[in-house]
Every structure is written in structure tokens, then in C-alpha cells.
Amino acid sequence: MNEKKLNTFSYIGKYWVLVIGSVLFMVAEVSVDLYQPRMMRLIVDFGVLGLDNNGTPDIDLVLRVGLRMILIVFVGGFCGVMCGVLTNLCGQNFGNDIRKDCFRRIMHFSFAQTDKFSSGSLITRITNDVTLPQNMIQQLMRGFVRCMMFLFAGSYALVSMDADYRIVILVAMPLILLNILLVLRKANPLFDALQKALDKINTLVQENIAGARVVKAFNQEEHETQRFEAQNREYMDIQRRVLILLSMMRPTMNIILNCAVVAVIKIGAISVQNGSAAPGVVMAAVTYLTQILNGMLMLAMLFQNITRGVTSSRRLNEILVTESDIKDGAENFEVLPSERGRVKFRNVSFSYPSSRGMVLHDINLDVKPGETLAIIGETGCGKTSLVNLIPRFYDVSGGSVEVGGHDVRDYKLNELRERVAVVLQKSELFSSTIRENIAMGNPSADFSEIEEAARSAQADEFISRCKNGYDTKVSEAGMSLSGGQRQRIAISRALLRNADILILDDATSALDFKTEAAVQEALRTRYRDVTKIIVAVRIMSVKNADRIAVIEDGTITACDTHEKLLSTSTAYAKIYESQIKDTAP
């Protein structure tokens, strides 16, 4: 992780025209608000009371000034609307930019980094945590200007009418600021805890939606509901503590506000009795004081939004400054025709970032171009970990992996992964059409190529039976299809890529033997030049491979043909006996 920080101004700077326009419109709106008490003073003192005309009311003055007030209010309203429009445009663009940058960075995270953050936390950060800084920016653009103008311009206008009013301001403002600081100091740690509790809720919801079939199959609805209620209760408890703290702030500020208004009225009444001030001046003073202290109330809410926005910005910063563990290489290699599809493991060792022990060690293996290599072994022996090193889903802890005669760490990631097609253990499909899911392997492929890949994967027949054929919509995670159908679509996608190396990681486990045999035959005949690495647990899935590598405890103990391994590898013979001989009639 580098030392850069999320620079809010770098995101907001490109919208400086909107920012300046919003500020100018807000200045105009507040100026109108500040000018109105003076016009009201004219109406009361000279229009209604007629203080400059021996107590005779001046109706013409009332009408003239009243009409002017109405026109100015319309101008202020227009400025307020325009300020809101520009502020929202700026805030939405700001949030959109950060959300896109976060998603782009997440897409380049390694598997280990995604696991570290957790999917629920990433969802919270890219949604709720983006919204809070966005609201903070919008509040700053509108509220800060408004608060500061009411505070300074309003105070100046108030004191200019009677210097004694400054005592009220000097007493009230420190009390209000102290109240704000004390409350936010206690609330600040809770804002971070609140977002983390929301992370857990999102993770729990995502797990239960994705695993809904398992929950129902084992009658765990009530148990999962209780888990959610417990997690939601934790979130609610933190939220309640935050709201209680914030609810204490406003009543306290209202008390200070009302006391200040009473003080201004008292000072004004004394001035009126002494003949040093007119009633209109007192009314204007009360209005100015109300504007000032309401500005302070707004400032309190602004500080709250800033605190929450800064907390979320810090969480977003963790994403934006996290560089992928898998560093891009510097080269796009011209691979020799004789080396296309060759994979070499040289003294490879590997351990997961969260694990202390080695998952793989002393792996030496040379997979020749066009060869079909199978990898077999007991569950947890390191089969998937081994093939994950080829497209650099993880990097080796020691040794090197070569593709086409070059270390995979020297390739640009895009170039490396163009040479490798992978069908993972879990067939991941997306909520789009079958055609679009297959075309992900090669977006530029035409429909005939898509059909050819589907036929090779034995998927064309069932796709053609669907109501809309290849344009049939797939539900989220492909749950509208069976496991075998999902696997065949995933294989189609990999075949369409036309890569040098094809990795099938237990990719036919949901297929019946007849369908699996048809897929393997298509691979042998139509894709004979492609290097095929097949990870499987079934002997029937690997027995026809050119070579079979047997992994025990993270290392390759044997690598040969099926027939030879039966006589030379005890581990392979045991697997064969357990799967074949024990089930023989």
C-alpha cells in the first residue's frame, strides 16, 4: 500500500465551474436574507409608526418597500434553486467518479485482497460510504457559505445597530461551539463502528441470498434469521447511541438561542425606553440574531456530516490507495511457435497470505505444447492452488512459473491472461443472456463461433431447447440453470477464448460420464493444439490424459500415464481402487 491519500479536491476540482456557480448563487441568496431585516425595519419604523413624520403612517412607503421585498424574495428564491441544482450536479458527479474509481480498483484486486476486505465491506464502501462524502461535499458547498455569511455578515449588521448586542454574540457563540465539539467528540468513534456493523449486515445478507438453497435444504431459515436479527441489533444499538448524542445537541442549542433572543429583546427594550433605538431596530436585531444562531445550528449539522464523511472517506481511501498484490509485468512477449502453450514449474513453492504453512513445495513440472496433463490427488492437496499460479491469480512464494518460455511475472497481465482460458470449480455466470455469458470469452466473436464453442462443450443442444435459445436470460449466478448446464456454458466460454492453454479445474464434475466423454473427445479432436490442464477427482475424468500428475501433501510424487501410474504410484492406485474396483459389479 502506498502513502497516497484520497484527495477530495482532485475529484471536485474538475467541476470548479459548478462549485463557483453554486457559491455565487448561495452568496446572492444569503445576501437577500440579510437585507430583508433592514427593509422590515423601514416598514415598521417609518411606514407603520411614522417616526419621521410625527407618528403618521406612510402607506406608500409600506407598499413600495413591501413590493421591493417581494421582488427580492423571488430573486433569492431563484438563486437558491440554482444553487441547489449546481450543488446536486457537482455532488452527483463527484460520487459517480469515486464510485467508478473504487470499482475499477476492486476489479484489479487479487483474490487475497478481496478476501481481506470481505465482499460485504466492499459493497458498503462502494454504496453507503460513497454517499456520505458526497453529502458532505454538497453540504459544504451550500451550508458552509450560508453559515459563514450569517455568522460574520449577520454579526456585523447586528452590532452596527447597537454595540451592546455584541455581548450576546460573545456569550452565545462559544457556548454553541462547545456544545458541538463535545457531542461530536463522543460521536466520532461511533461513526466508524456504525459502518463496520453495516459491513457485517451486508456480508450476512449476501451469504444468505447466494446460499439460499443450502439454507432451505437444511431448514436453517430460523437460524439465519436469528443471526441477522443479532447483527441488526448490534447496528441498531450503535445507531441509537449516535442518535441520542446528536439529539442532545439541538435542544441545548435551542435553549441558548432562546436565551439570546430574550437578551436581545431586553437590551432593545431598554434602548427603546431610552429613546436610543426604534422598535423596528429591535425587530431587525432579533431577526439577525435568529439568522446567526440558526446558521450555528446548521453548522452543527454540517460538522456532523463532515465527521461522517471523513470517516467514510478514510474507508474509501483504503480501497483507492491499495495497489494490487499482483503487479503488472513490463513486457508483451513474442512467443516462439514451438513454445506456444508450454507451461513450466521450476522449484515452485506457495503459501496463501493468511496461511503460515506451505500449500505447495518443490514443484517441478514441464507441460509440453498441445499436451493434455491431468492433476489428481486427495481433497486439499493443492491441485487448484497449483493451476491458480498459471494465470497469476496468486504469485509463487518461491521458484517460478513459465508460460511460453517466459516467467509469468514478466508478462503484462492482459497478455498473460489472453493466453490462458480457465474454467473454475464454481461455474460463475452473470445475469445476462446465454450468448453474452459465452461471448465474455471473446467479445469480438461472431455468432457462428459462439455456436461452435457451445457444440464442443455439449451445450448447444440444451441451449437450443430454451425458449429464446442463445438469447435466454440467465438469472443471478446462473441459478435458473442446472449445475451441469452452468458448467457447459462456462466451458463454452473458455473454448471461445481460443487461448494457448486451457485449464479445467474440476469443470466436469456435474456432467454425466457420457457428456463428459463427448466434451473430452471434442477437446482431443478440435483443440488438439491447445495445452490442456485438467484438475479432477474422478479417475474417469483423467485416465485418457497424456500424463497424470499425482499430488500428495503439496508436492508431485508421480507423473506418468494411467497404466504406468497404476503400477508405480501407490497413491494413484488407491484412488483407482476406491473409485473403480469398489464400484465394480
Side-chain angles (χ1 to χ4, degrees):
M1 182 178 295
N2 59 31
E3 297 299 322
K4 294 188 297 183
K5 297 296 180 184
L6 171 60
N7 187 353
T8 301
F9 295 103
S10 67
Y11 282 94
I12 207 72
K14 66 176 74 173
Y15 306 111
W16 64 271
V17 173
L18 295 177
V19 174
I20 293 175
S22 173
V23 170
L24 291 177
F25 278 119
M26 177 52 66
V27 170
E29 182 188 6
V30 176
S31 297
V32 168
D33 291 340
L34 290 170
Y35 187 58
Q36 286 187 52
R38 292 187 176 275
M39 290 190 291
M40 181 58 67
R41 173 191 173 190
L42 292 176
I43 290 175
V44 172
D45 287 345
F46 304 113
V48 177
L49 299 179
L51 295 182
D52 62 343
N53 195 25
N54 298 320
T56 302
D58 188 344
I59 303 302
D60 289 339
L61 176 65
V62 173
L63 292 176
R64 289 197 310 274
V65 177
L67 181 60
R68 194 191 313 163
M69 284 185 67
I70 292 173
L71 292 174
I72 290 177
V73 166
F74 274 111
V75 171
F78 171 77
C79 291
V81 169
M82 291 304 299
C83 175
V85 169
L86 296 181
T87 298
N88 285 317
L89 281 174
C90 185
Q92 291 297 323
N93 284 318
F94 168 82
N96 180 51
D97 289 346
I98 292 182
R99 191 175 291 109
K100 289 190 297 186
D101 282 355
C102 284
F103 187 78
R104 187 178 297 111
R105 185 56 62 94
I106 290 170
M107 287 296 96
H108 287 87
F109 279 177
S110 67
F111 289 170
Q113 289 170 313
T114 302
D115 293 341
K116 173 187 172 184
F117 280 101
S118 85
S119 56
S121 177
L122 292 174
I123 291 171
T124 304
R125 294 176 196 235
I126 207 168
T127 52
N128 186 264
D129 279 322
V130 172
T131 300
L132 292 175
Q134 177 181 313
N135 291 340
M136 176 186 73
I137 289 296
Q138 292 178 198
Q139 288 289 328
L140 280 172
M141 289 174 62
R142 299 192 66 182
F144 187 74
V145 174
R146 192 176 186 86
C147 293
M148 292 300 100
M149 284 192 68
F150 276 143
L151 178 59
F152 293 107
S155 297
Y156 174 79
L158 182 63
V159 173
S160 66
M161 289 188 294
D162 191 330
D164 291 337
Y165 293 143
R166 68 175 179 269
I167 299 173
V168 178
I169 295 175
L170 291 175
V171 172
M173 283 188 181
L175 291 176
I176 291 174
L177 289 173
L178 181 63
N179 179 49
I180 294 172
L181 293 175
L182 288 175
V183 170
L184 291 182
R185 182 181 177 185
K186 289 185 174 295
N188 187 40
L190 296 177
F191 292 141
D192 188 51
L194 195 65
Q195 295 305 103
K196 290 179 178 178
L198 188 58
D199 289 347
K200 295 177 182 177
I201 289 177
N202 281 335
T203 298
L204 188 60
V205 169
Q206 187 201 30
E207 286 176 348
N208 277 274
I209 291 175
R213 286 167 172 76
V214 176
V215 173
K216 293 181 183 299
F218 289 91
N219 292 322
Q220 291 298 301
E221 292 93 337
E222 187 60 32
H223 175 264
E224 292 304 311
T225 299
Q226 291 174 358
R227 283 182 64 205
F228 180 81
E229 288 176 354
Q231 193 57 61
N232 201 46
R233 192 179 303 113
E234 178 186 343
Y235 178 77
M236 185 183 67
D237 288 343
I238 300 173
Q239 181 82 294
R240 185 176 62 247
R241 290 164 61 191
V242 171
L243 293 177
I244 288 174
L245 282 171
L246 297 178
S247 66
M248 294 169 58
M249 182 165 59
R250 191 170 186 90
T252 304
M253 295 181 70
N254 281 332
I255 291 172
I256 298 171
L257 170 61
N258 290 325
C259 290
V261 170
V262 170
V264 167
I265 293 174
K266 179 64 176 177
I267 293 172
I270 295 173
S271 299
V272 171
Q273 289 177 348
N274 295 337
S276 59
V281 173
V282 179
M283 290 182 61
V286 171
T287 304
Y288 278 128
L289 182 63
T290 302
Q291 289 177 338
I292 293 168
L293 297 183
N294 279 334
M296 297 296 291
L297 286 171
M298 191 184 302
L299 188 64
M301 300 307 297
L302 183 62
F303 281 149
Q304 173 193 334
N305 287 330
I306 289 174
T307 304
R308 300 192 71 167
V310 167
T311 298
S312 289
S313 295
R314 185 168 59 248
R315 286 162 53 85
L316 292 172
N317 184 68
E318 292 176 4
I319 292 178
L320 292 170
V321 304
T322 299
E323 298 290 346
S324 175
D325 291 341
I326 308 299
K327 301 296 183 182
D328 208 3
E331 302 292 339
N332 282 325
F333 294 105
E334 288 292 333
V335 177
L336 296 174
S338 60
E339 291 293 314
R340 290 180 68 89
R342 183 181 292 275
V343 179
K344 283 186 179 181
F345 294 84
R346 297 179 184 271
N347 301 315
V348 167
S349 60
F350 171 72
S351 67
Y352 288 100
S354 58
S355 174
R356 294 181 181 178
M358 285 292 177
V359 178
L360 300 170
H361 55 89
D362 300 325
I363 299 291
N364 287 281
L365 185 63
D366 186 358
V367 187
K368 299 176 178 61
E371 182 180 16
T372 298
L373 175 80
I375 301 174
I376 198 167
E378 295 181 352
T379 301
C381 67
K383 302 184 297 295
T384 296
S385 300
L386 182 65
V387 295
N388 279 342
L389 299 177
I390 299 172
R392 290 192 72 199
F393 292 156
Y394 296 92
D395 269 340
V396 297
S397 303
S400 66
V401 178
E402 295 180 4
V403 167
H406 302 280
D407 193 315
V408 293
R409 290 169 292 190
D410 294 333
Y411 279 96
K412 289 187 180 296
L413 283 173
N414 288 342
E415 170 68 16
L416 173 64
R417 290 172 182 170
E418 285 291 332
R419 297 179 179 277
V420 183
V422 183
V423 184
L424 301 172
Q425 284 179 319
K426 183 180 178 183
S427 302
E428 298 285 359
L429 300 184
F430 298 86
S431 52
S432 56
T433 64
I434 292 176
R435 182 204 301 257
E436 290 168 336
N437 269 282
I438 296 175
M440 183 176 287
N442 181 6
S444 63
D446 58 34
F447 184 59
S448 63
E449 292 174 302
I450 292 174
E451 283 187 307
E452 177 63 24
R455 279 193 289 269
S456 297
Q458 307 304 303
D460 180 70
E461 183 179 351
F462 87 80
I463 294 173
S464 299
R465 291 198 305 265
C466 294
K467 182 179 179 180
N468 297 312
Y470 282 82
D471 292 320
T472 300
K473 190 79 171 179
V474 177
S475 67
E476 183 179 359
M479 290 303 175
S480 57
L481 302 172
S482 70
Q485 290 172 334
R486 290 198 297 272
Q487 284 192 335
R488 281 178 278 174
I489 291 176
I491 294 171
S492 304
R493 181 169 58 199
L495 295 178
L496 185 65
R497 195 166 188 80
N498 196 26
D500 298 339
I501 302 163
L502 174 64
I503 298 173
L504 301 175
D505 185 3
D506 205 14
T508 57
S509 58
L511 303 184
D512 59 79
F513 288 122
K514 180 180 178 182
T515 303
E516 182 179 19
V519 172
Q520 291 181 347
E521 178 61 25
L523 294 178
R524 279 194 297 271
T525 57
R526 301 177 192 173
Y527 300 91
R528 63 173 63 91
D529 295 331
V530 176
T531 301
K532 294 166 282 290
I533 301 177
I534 302 172
V535 175
V537 295
R538 299 192 309 201
I539 290 290
M540 292 301 294
S541 300
V542 304
K543 64 189 297 289
N544 295 321
D546 296 323
R547 286 189 298 160
I548 303 169
V550 182
I551 296 185
E552 295 182 81
D553 298 325
T555 192
I556 295 176
T557 58
C559 185
D560 216 321
T561 62
H562 168 71
E563 291 75 14
K564 290 183 178 180
L565 286 175
L566 285 176
S567 59
T568 60
S569 173
T570 303
Y572 187 80
K574 286 182 178 179
I575 296 173
Y576 177 79
E577 290 171 4
S578 65
Q579 293 185 19
I580 305 299
K581 290 190 175 181
D582 288 351
T583 59

